[in-house]
Amino acid sequence: MKKSFRKWFLHPGDKSENMYPALMDKAVGLIADQTVRTNQPFSGASRQDIEPAVREMLTIPAAGQKTDMVMEEIQNVIVKNSLWVSHPSAMAHLHCPPLIPSLAAEVIINALNQSLDSWDQSPAATYVETEFIKFFTKHIGYSGEADGVFTTGGTQSNYMGLLLARNKACQAHFSVHVQEEGLPAEAGRLRILCSEHAHFTVQKSAAQLGLGTNAVIKVATNDKNQLYLQDAKEKIGHLRQQGFLPFMIVATAGTTDFGSVDCLKDIAELAAEEQLWFHIDAAYGGALLFSHQYSGLIRGLHLADSLTIDFHKLYYQSISCGAFFVKDKQDFQQIAFHADYLNPEEDQEDGVINLVEKSTQTTKRFDALKLLMTFKLMGTDLFGEMVDYTINLAKETAKLLKNEPCFEVLNEPELNAIVFRYVPLHEHRDEKYVDEMNLELQRAFYQSGQLIMAKTKQAGKVYLKFTMLNPLNTLSHMQTNIKRIKEAGEKIEKEQGENRYGYSVRC
Ligand SMILES: *Cc1c(COP(=O)(O)O)cnc(C)c1O
């Protein structure tokens, strides 16, 4: 009986009956095959095709099946019907093509399976994360008092920012230690400010943290889609007059739709004057730290009391990978717990590092290795050039779109996102028609599998979005894409004829 388990595990002291290299080879081969085969970002399969195929595949047998059969099924049902994010025409979301060093690091991460909650489960990995956090705090411009921790991404990092700020505010204003006593009734007066373009996880976190979404006050934005400082000042004044307690302001360095960067220094000043916790959500824009041309855009990151940076977006790491930073490491005390089996207090006295104290997670991935391998192999110079290339390409693409009368471009790209829409040129158009047309363009291209764009809404109107993360993209490729959208738009206009909303289009 025992023997039949053997080949399924890595063996200390021998070659694990070769299942490890053999199965890894097959997995790598499957991806390599798909890379050769894929000339568009999506198969174009419909939900009606994919769901039953997956359901059928999920009849789980009592006895294991042959490797080749299972791998073939995985290839046909899953790999072929996955969004191929490494294709330059996959341009919908902040969803990056992963760098190959990150993929290789995952192999090591998975096999070592270190858990970075306590030092005894990750003796070297704990220090890799710790030193990487130091490397970043230095680049951010923080003092030696700063600290941070790897997270699963921007959602967790923003949540942690709100959590620390909430606990600190309750201590300062109500002398309540939330960790022990829970939220006091007065917490209903707490208010958080952020721009109307801030990420929805600010509200989601407020909801989860017992403050409620009503605690988040949306500040208007200026014509560059940045938080409008004057409106923030006025809103703070009004809130105080009404007896509310503004305790936190969230700036965004790279909004999800526009890639706009708030004026970090001005907001930092306001936060200091008004004694607000200052959080910066740089999930997207944090990659500018290594940019040669555009690092000036995010000057002031070090002014944040807490800071979110994602590595699975413009740092090109495989999912998941992100970090959360604080200007003053003492602030992690707001969430510290001691578990006797993981991080007993005597460990702290002995100087043992147990990262669980800084995280909302317990078992925690060794994601820092991905960045380590990426930066060691690639160097920060080339990395920075790559980020700059994508931003410059987005700026050039925006110009191309603006030169076409049938497109309306909503933003001057600061990072690499462009929000635009197709506008029919004929006279009897109305907003509903334009909205439906753009929705149809997005849907039709998705279904064709050729071009994956996002749709978004601004001021109640539907827009399309290119998020141009892929450094393999080129201007001539974008010319082709724009031409395709234009032609598809014209075709819809022609076809719609009398039956105004009953069009359909194939791209
Ligand atoms: C993507 C994003 C988030 C959420 O991050 P996840 O990594 O998806 O959890 C938060 N803020 C901004 C600005 C983002 O772009």
Side-chain angles (χ1 to χ4, degrees):
M1 196 56 190
K2 203 171 167 195
K3 188 164 173 293
S4 63
F5 304 144
R6 278 185 62 84
K7 70 169 185 180
W8 299 96
F9 290 94
L10 293 168
H11 284 205
D14 72 30
K15 283 204 176 155
S16 309
E17 302 182 10
N18 292 325
M19 187 184 200
Y20 181 70
L23 197 53
M24 292 303 281
D25 265 5
K26 283 199 194 294
V28 171
L30 194 141
I31 294 298
D33 266 9
Q34 185 66 7
T35 311
V36 174
R37 235 182 279 194
T38 313
N39 52 15
Q40 53 179 54
F42 185 51
S43 67
S46 68
R47 280 177 288 177
Q48 289 76 19
D49 296 331
I50 299 174
E51 197 195 356
V54 171
R55 200 177 299 138
E56 190 183 336
M57 189 183 170
L58 262 98
T59 24
I60 304 293
Q65 296 170 337
K66 288 261 182 301
T67 308
D68 284 345
M69 191 180 124
V70 174
M71 294 307 276
E72 197 183 315
E73 224 178 359
I74 289 174
Q75 177 154 34
N76 289 333
V77 178
I78 302 173
V79 179
K80 278 187 186 166
N81 292 319
S82 289
L83 184 68
W84 197 248
V85 293
S86 295
H87 196 289
S89 292
M91 283 189 287
H93 302 284
L94 277 163
H95 188 176
C96 71
L99 283 160
I100 291 172
S102 175
L103 303 184
E106 283 283 8
V107 175
I108 300 170
I109 292 166
N110 293 339
L112 292 180
N113 209 24
Q114 304 291 285
S115 180
L116 282 76
D117 40 344
S118 62
W119 176 81
D120 63 354
Q121 300 180 83
S122 50
T126 291
Y127 294 119
V128 174
E129 171 161 334
T130 306
E131 291 304 313
F132 233 98
I133 291 290
K134 279 191 205 154
F135 167 81
F136 264 92
T137 54
K138 248 188 223 159
H139 272 273
I140 290 162
Y142 274 139
S143 77
E145 292 308 302
D147 200 358
V149 70
F150 271 66
T151 63
T152 54
T155 303
Q156 187 190 354
S157 298
N158 284 346
Y159 173 86
M160 289 182 74
L162 264 81
L163 172 63
L164 266 54
R166 181 201 70 176
N167 287 4
K168 206 166 172 179
C170 285
Q171 185 81 65
H173 296 295
F174 317 128
S175 304
V176 167
H177 188 242
V178 180
Q179 291 239 90
E180 284 165 17
E181 302 168 68
L183 276 181
E186 307 96 290
R189 289 166 52 214
L190 293 172
R191 290 293 177 271
I192 300 160
L193 291 103
C194 64
S195 96
E196 57 193 347
H197 294 312
H199 197 263
F200 73 90
T201 48
V202 175
Q203 285 161 293
K204 190 169 166 173
S205 303
Q208 292 171 355
L209 289 165
L211 303 175
T213 53
N214 290 346
V216 179
I217 306 298
K218 294 281 184 78
V219 178
T221 46
N222 63 18
D223 56 356
K224 290 172 81 183
N225 302 304
Q226 299 164 310
L227 182 141
Y228 180 43
L229 205 70
Q230 192 55 36
D231 189 49
K233 284 183 186 166
E234 282 168 20
K235 290 217 157 92
I236 292 169
H238 285 149
L239 286 167
R240 291 207 199 279
Q241 271 171 14
Q242 293 169 302
F244 291 112
L245 240 174
F247 74 102
M248 178 181 201
I249 189 162
V250 178
T252 314
T255 57
T256 311
D257 268 350
F258 295 113
S260 52
V261 180
D262 288 339
C263 296
L264 305 179
K265 284 187 177 167
D266 293 349
I267 300 173
E269 264 175 39
L270 176 67
E273 276 165 26
E274 297 284 348
Q275 302 198 319
L276 309 177
W277 178 285
F278 181 31
H279 178 78
I280 300 180
D281 178 358
Y284 183 7
L288 294 190
L289 277 178
F290 297 95
S291 157
H292 304 282
Q293 288 177 265
Y294 301 110
S295 61
L297 261 182
I298 54 163
R299 208 162 285 144
L301 278 192
H302 66 287
L303 300 170
D305 293 303
S306 58
L307 171 66
T308 291
I309 297 182
D310 260 4
F311 301 124
H312 56 214
K313 288 180 177 165
L314 206 42
Y315 277 92
Y316 301 99
Q317 301 302 303
S318 57
I319 296 166
S320 60
C321 202
F324 172 72
F325 300 92
V326 286
K327 183 160 65 182
D328 180 356
K329 60 172 127 228
Q330 289 306 319
D331 287 332
F332 276 125
Q333 286 305 315
Q334 299 294 341
I335 56 166
F337 264 92
H338 286 283
D340 288 335
Y341 81 102
L342 274 185
N343 60 331
E345 297 202 34
E346 67 262 21
D347 263 18
Q348 211 162 30
E349 285 151 26
D350 289 346
V352 177
I353 298 172
N354 295 310
L355 294 175
V356 68
E357 284 162 30
K358 297 192 282 184
S359 184
T360 50
Q361 297 170 266
T362 305
T363 300
K364 195 163 95 70
R365 285 172 53 88
F366 182 22
D367 288 315
L369 185 66
K370 294 188 278 198
L371 269 182
L372 175 75
M373 263 178 84
T374 298
F375 279 171
K376 283 283 233 184
L377 289 168
M378 202 173 182
T380 53
D381 274 355
L382 182 62
F383 178 84
E385 282 168 33
M386 188 172 76
V387 170
D388 288 344
Y389 172 81
T390 65
I391 296 175
N392 292 332
L393 182 64
K395 287 181 191 287
E396 291 300 313
T397 303
K399 278 189 205 156
L400 289 181
L401 283 164
K402 280 182 183 167
N403 285 339
E404 298 278 355
C406 63
F407 290 114
E408 177 196 339
V409 181
L410 207 54
N411 68 322
E412 197 59 57
E414 279 191 274
L415 299 181
N416 40 26
I418 311 174
V419 181
F420 68 100
R421 63 180 186 160
Y422 182 88
V423 199
L425 296 173
H426 66 77
E427 282 157 19
H428 53 272
R429 60 171 219 237
D430 56 46
E431 282 306 335
K432 183 164 181 263
Y433 175 57
V434 182
D435 282 355
E436 294 207 5
M437 180 149 196
N438 281 282
L439 286 175
E440 177 59 19
L441 283 169
Q442 193 274 343
R443 191 167 43 226
F445 276 106
Y446 193 96
Q447 281 166 3
S448 80
Q450 289 178 357
L451 174 60
I452 310 298
M453 302 181 277
K455 54 179 189 256
T456 182
K457 266 194 179 166
Q458 294 297 334
K461 300 180 195 171
V462 174
Y463 286 85
L464 301 171
K465 184 168 80 160
F466 287 151
T467 312
M468 298 176 55
L469 298 183
N470 198 322
L472 302 183
N473 210 341
T474 61
L475 196 60
S476 78
H477 181 233
M478 289 313 296
Q479 264 162 339
T480 309
N481 282 330
I482 290 170
K483 189 160 165 267
R484 277 183 187 158
I485 302 169
K486 186 180 162 188
E487 285 170 2
E490 287 166 355
K491 195 168 163 207
I492 295 176
E493 278 192 79
K494 248 187 233 147
E495 281 181 0
Q496 54 123 8
E498 289 156 27
N499 183 10
R500 199 147 155 170
Y501 297 115
Y503 47 71
S504 71
V505 67
R506 279 181 302 277
C507 300

